[in-house]
Amino acid sequence: MRVLRRWWELYSGLMFRKPYNVLFVLKEEQRVKLHTWFVLGTIDVYLLNTSGLILEARKGLKPFKTWESNMKAKMFVETPQNALGLFSGEHIQLPQNINKSTTLTTQ
């Protein structure tokens, strides 16, 4: 899973790429507003608290659409559609060194 936290990484995200697992870390807890303009596939979005609990899940977000969350979150994950198959109330295992590095890749 790739971790993104720099503003230009958060802005571009999966644009012009096929979807893969990406964790977005925001500076503060907020409602998430995102678009899938130029994303090359359908994605699932999971809003998380700092322990990895899924607060809200949006499945099947197609390219060239916009979406705004109902809840606030500090982190969210974008995955290819049905890659994780999780629901609100379940947990995602977060990378252990999430706060030490700006970007990293873990298996």
Side-chain angles (χ1 to χ4, degrees), residues 1-104:
M1 181 178 301
R2 183 147 187 232
V3 179
L4 306 179
R5 59 174 72 242
R6 294 181 179 140
W7 71 267
W8 64 86
E9 295 172 324
L10 295 172
Y11 177 76
S12 63
L14 293 175
M15 286 174 40
F16 306 105
R17 298 182 178 102
K18 286 189 175 183
Y20 59 94
N21 295 344
V22 182
L23 174 65
F24 294 79
V25 180
L26 307 172
K27 288 187 179 186
E28 57 189 42
E29 192 175 81
Q30 61 191 5
R31 288 179 66 187
V32 174
K33 298 176 184 178
L34 59 89
H35 66 80
T36 56
W37 305 334
F38 310 110
V39 175
L40 305 177
T42 303
I43 61 172
D44 294 337
V45 181
Y46 301 95
L47 272 66
L48 310 173
N49 68 9
T50 55
S51 67
L53 177 69
I54 299 172
L55 304 172
E56 184 176 344
R58 171 61 166 96
K59 304 223 178 179
L61 191 59
K62 296 186 183 303
F64 295 96
K65 300 292 181 186
T66 59
W67 177 74
E68 185 173 343
S69 68
N70 295 317
M71 303 183 77
K72 290 183 177 182
K74 175 101 166 96
M75 297 181 277
F76 65 97
V77 173
E78 291 182 356
T79 69
Q81 185 176 22
N82 299 322
L84 299 180
L86 299 173
F87 298 93
S88 296
E90 296 185 271
H91 279 86
I92 291 179
Q93 184 174 352
L94 298 173
Q96 291 189 2
N97 54 353
I98 191 170
N99 295 320
K100 294 181 182 178
S101 176
T102 303
T103 59
L104 59 101

